Amino acid sequence: MKREYMAEPYKIKMVEPIKMTTREQREQALKKAGYNTFLLDSEDVYIDLLTDSGTNAMSDNQWSGLMLGDEAYAGSKNFKHLERAVRELYGFKYVVPTHQGRGAENILSQIMIKPGDYVPGNMYFTTTRAHQELNGGIFVDVIIDEAHDPSNEHPFKGNIDLNKLQALIDEVGPEKIPYICLAVTVNLAGGQPVALENMRAVYELAQKYGIKVMMDATRCVENACFIKHREPGYADKSIHEIVLEMFSYADGATMSGKKDGLVNIGGFLALNDEELYQKATSLVVVYEGMPSYGGMAGRDMEALARGMYESMDYYFIAHRLAQVQYLGDRLMEAGIPIVRPVGGHAVFLDARAIYPHIPQDEFPAQMLAAQLYLESGVRSMERGIVSAGRDKDGNHHYPKLELVRLTIPRRVYTYAHLDVVADSVIAVYKNRDNVRGLRFVYEPPVLRFFTARFEPL
Ligand code: F0G
């Protein structure tokens, strides 16, 4: 069949060989890893779709920026470059650099949340919710219902349901809501975007009650590209213009530079309010480092600043979305149930639909990820009940979505790699009736998915 796809808007200057493994080797590796793909050695992985976080390929321009690191303890010029990038590209006034996104989440949660506060958000993200809860906050999911339905084709499945938000404000009172946490895009919903119209409406409602809006900017460029492609009136706007409008509806943002910042490590907290910025700087020195480097070396701030400018290039981001869509299209053609529409950073397999005979507390998505690794050495990630963890009474959270994420690193793999992935998923799907679930051998108390161990039932 003739396929049409958008070719790479870059050429390859350096390569990293990858190891090929046999099925026997993979069987051993999987056992050693306790059926948890997080615990596999990277060396034993052929195509690594565990995450798009910190797995980006940097450009020659970014690598050359690394040589210009000003590693002064205070006042590094690379910090000025990062600050300029955040101001020019995102439109926020103040920048607190952190070692990665969760460093910013830690500081934001500490300066804003009091015990007993409510934090509404468009679906949870693991580390974001963990920091909110560690500070005594109660996370409330106010995403639209469509987001919980893997087959619903809503173009902006990340949107906040304004009625749910209003109902929470009426119920607990605005003084109990320090901020609304608005993620662009929504990772666990399948990389689904939020419409500008929705951001505007959320911000207006929040302002009416004196509630702040804090965005999770981690994949903001992907979100902007979806807006350009899907939202009426934005087709002729640049990615930069759209990103600026998005953040004009926020009081601040946490950013994991490891995604749309096109680097391997780094992040920041961005704010407009001077008083909040002062509070954040007094914490960053405790947890990260001086306010002018936080958790990053000067060279890393330089690479991030340069990556942020590169991420505004339409061809870069359109190609990224096209690659993810290509994988999704191949799987849909083969009848594999995936989350639709295909999101920005990953294709999500619907493990519940693939293994309907495995009950959720026997971890169907965890097992699906294990089977895919066994088949071909493709590493993916569980995003279901294991990731959702337990509530304060010790019961499993039972998320509606029980998914396996095939996450595409930026500028790393080719369409041929994606064909290997698609063929492997199809092979695993064909064998679906012969597979049973898993049980815990070891379960850590927080963020259990990272280090839990399992054995087959
Ligand atoms: N917010 C979102 C939406 C994320 O996806 C992540 C990380 C973070 C915050 C935290 O950032 O890792 O730099 O501390 N997501 C990674 C992933 C881990 O694989 O989806 P971090």
Side-chain angles (χ1 to χ4, degrees):
M1 189 198 318
K2 182 181 181 298
R3 295 188 184 279
E4 285 187 15
Y5 40 63
M6 180 178 170
E8 283 71 14
Y10 49 81
K11 57 185 177 178
I12 296 164
K13 186 161 355 211
M14 190 189 283
V15 296
E16 177 184 343
I18 40 186
K19 190 172 110 183
M20 314 298 276
T21 50
T22 63
R23 192 172 176 103
E24 289 69 44
Q25 287 170 327
R26 292 194 293 275
E27 262 164 21
Q28 290 211 334
L30 190 65
K31 249 190 219 137
K32 205 174 115 222
Y35 286 77
N36 186 349
T37 52
F38 277 102
L39 298 180
L40 287 167
D41 287 340
S42 147
E43 260 197 337
D44 294 330
V45 173
Y46 174 33
I47 298 174
D48 202 347
L49 306 187
L50 184 69
T51 179
D52 64 332
S53 181
T55 53
N56 303 306
M58 293 206 296
S59 66
D60 51 358
N61 177 47
Q62 288 176 289
W63 278 106
S64 59
L66 287 184
M67 298 305 289
L68 302 176
D70 170 3
E71 307 304 343
Y73 192 76
S76 159
K77 74 175 177 220
N78 310 114
F79 172 67
K80 302 269 185 263
H81 297 165
L82 178 61
E83 197 178 45
R84 191 199 306 149
V86 175
R87 285 182 180 155
E88 271 181 27
L89 301 175
Y90 292 8
F92 292 112
K93 274 196 210 144
Y94 302 107
V95 189
V96 183
T98 56
H99 70 286
Q100 56 184 72
R102 68 198 72 182
E105 292 167 356
N106 172 35
I107 292 171
L108 180 71
S109 301
Q110 288 207 36
I111 61 176
M112 295 204 67
I113 300 173
K114 295 186 304 302
D117 279 350
Y118 293 81
V119 187
N122 49 346
M123 205 173 266
Y124 81 101
F125 182 72
T126 52
T127 59
T128 320
R129 190 179 68 187
H131 281 295
Q132 292 164 358
E133 290 176 347
L134 283 170
N135 285 282
I138 301 157
F139 165 80
V140 182
D141 188 3
V142 292
I143 202 165
I144 56 172
D145 286 338
E146 286 88 339
H148 294 285
D149 173 2
S151 61
N152 190 297
E153 296 270 2
H154 194 296
F156 291 102
K157 262 171 127 172
N159 280 356
I160 281 187
D161 183 329
L162 294 164
N163 293 325
K164 288 185 193 172
L165 182 57
Q166 181 71 57
L168 180 73
I169 298 170
D170 294 343
E171 190 192 323
V172 304
E175 63 291 344
K176 282 283 206 191
I177 304 178
Y179 63 94
I180 299 161
C181 180
L182 179 59
V184 289
T185 59
V186 184
N187 187 346
L188 298 196
Q192 305 294 336
V194 180
L196 262 176
E197 187 194 20
N198 189 253
M199 296 182 209
R200 202 178 299 126
V202 167
Y203 192 58
E204 276 169 15
L205 185 66
Q207 285 213 309
K208 194 169 126 194
Y209 291 101
I211 300 170
K212 289 203 163 10
V213 174
M214 295 296 173
M215 289 198 187
D216 181 337
T218 297
R219 296 183 183 86
C220 59
V221 182
E222 289 168 15
N223 201 107
C225 196
F226 279 123
I227 289 171
K228 185 175 167 75
H229 290 165
R230 294 180 186 170
E231 191 159 345
Y234 288 93
D236 296 329
K237 297 256 196 257
S238 69
I239 297 296
H240 182 198
E241 286 169 319
I242 297 172
V243 167
L244 276 177
E245 185 176 345
M246 287 164 54
F247 291 136
S248 74
Y249 306 127
D251 300 287
T254 52
M255 174 71 183
S256 169
K258 303 170 71 171
K259 284 81 164 176
D260 280 357
L262 287 171
V263 287
N264 306 116
I265 193 71
F268 55 81
L269 172 62
L271 293 164
N272 283 331
D273 182 283
E274 196 181 343
E275 208 181 310
L276 277 179
Y277 171 67
Q278 287 307 339
K279 284 188 186 163
T281 54
S282 67
L283 282 187
V284 79
V285 293
V286 178
Y287 290 102
E288 304 274 335
M290 281 284 285
S292 61
Y293 71 89
M296 280 186 276
R299 56 179 173 266
D300 291 332
M301 292 190 281
E302 186 64 33
L304 176 54
R306 292 179 183 214
M308 286 171 63
Y309 282 99
E310 288 176 19
S311 74
M312 296 290 148
D313 174 31
Y314 175 69
Y315 293 101
F316 152 69
I317 189 62
H319 168 263
R320 165 158 183 70
L321 296 189
Q323 270 204 333
V324 179
Q325 183 69 46
Y326 172 82
L327 177 59
D329 286 344
R330 278 223 47 204
L331 296 178
M332 285 189 285
E333 278 167 27
I336 314 268
I338 64 169
V339 173
R340 299 200 314 249
V342 173
H345 64 307
V347 173
F348 288 72
L349 307 175
D350 185 352
R352 210 191 260 282
I354 292 172
Y355 293 148
H357 55 287
I358 302 181
Q360 199 170 13
D361 50 16
E362 292 175 9
F363 316 120
Q366 188 77 31
M367 192 52 163
L368 182 57
Q371 292 300 315
L372 187 58
Y373 173 73
L374 263 188
E375 174 64 31
S376 61
V378 171
R379 172 153 71 171
S380 58
M381 182 194 288
E382 193 261 12
R383 292 275 86 153
I385 186 168
V386 181
S387 298
R390 293 184 188 268
D391 63 21
K392 55 185 187 315
D393 302 322
N395 301 312
H396 291 300
H397 287 291
Y398 283 87
K400 293 205 182 90
L401 299 177
E402 180 70 23
L403 309 173
V404 165
R405 189 180 74 173
L406 303 166
T407 334
I408 316 298
R410 295 164 189 77
R411 308 192 289 207
V412 171
Y413 291 116
T414 65
Y415 289 96
H417 287 118
L418 298 180
D419 280 333
V420 173
V421 175
D423 293 340
S424 315
V425 174
I426 292 165
V428 166
Y429 184 64
K430 285 193 176 135
N431 187 44
R432 62 192 178 279
D433 294 335
N434 302 320
V435 174
R436 312 218 5 226
L438 293 165
R439 70 168 153 246
F440 273 118
V441 179
Y442 163 66
E443 181 185 356
V446 259
L447 298 176
R448 63 183 182 179
F449 55 94
F450 282 127
T451 52
R453 304 182 68 84
F454 304 83
E455 67 186 11
L457 283 165

